[in-house]
Amino acid sequence: MATAVEHGLVGEPVLYRVEDAMKALSLSRTVIYEQIRAGRLRAVRQGRARRIPASAIREYVALLEREAGGDQ
C-alpha cells in the first residue's frame, strides 16, 4: 500500500486556496481568475470554495516555460 509521502500528501499542499496560489505564482487575484477562465490554470470547486491543485500550478509553470521557449 502506498504511503502519504508517495502520494505527495505530506509537505506540499494538494490543493491551494486562490490566495496561496497568488503567492506561489507571484500573480494578482485578477490574473489568477483570468487564467482560470481562459483554461490556462485548472481549478476545482469544493462547495463554494475554489481550489487550485498543486499539479495545476506545476502545469501552468510548464506552459509558461514552453511559451517563453518559443520566443527565443
Side-chain angles (χ1 to χ4, degrees):
M1 177 174 248
T3 67
V5 172
E6 293 170 328
H7 284 291
L9 300 177
V10 175
E12 179 184 358
V14 177
L15 295 173
Y16 286 84
R17 295 177 305 152
V18 170
E19 293 78 12
D20 297 327
M22 290 167 51
K23 291 175 190 170
L25 294 169
S26 298
L27 297 174
S28 70
R29 174 185 288 282
T30 300
V31 172
I32 293 285
Y33 280 106
E34 285 173 354
Q35 297 304 296
I36 292 169
R37 277 192 292 279
R40 293 170 52 89
L41 179 61
R42 286 185 300 110
V44 297
R45 292 191 71 96
Q46 175 62 43
R48 294 184 60 189
R50 188 177 301 267
R51 298 289 186 255
I52 301 169
S55 61
I57 291 176
R58 289 189 296 273
E59 291 165 7
Y60 180 71
V61 171
L63 171 67
L64 295 177
E65 289 173 340
R66 283 193 306 274
E67 290 176 351
D71 292 341
Q72 297 176 359

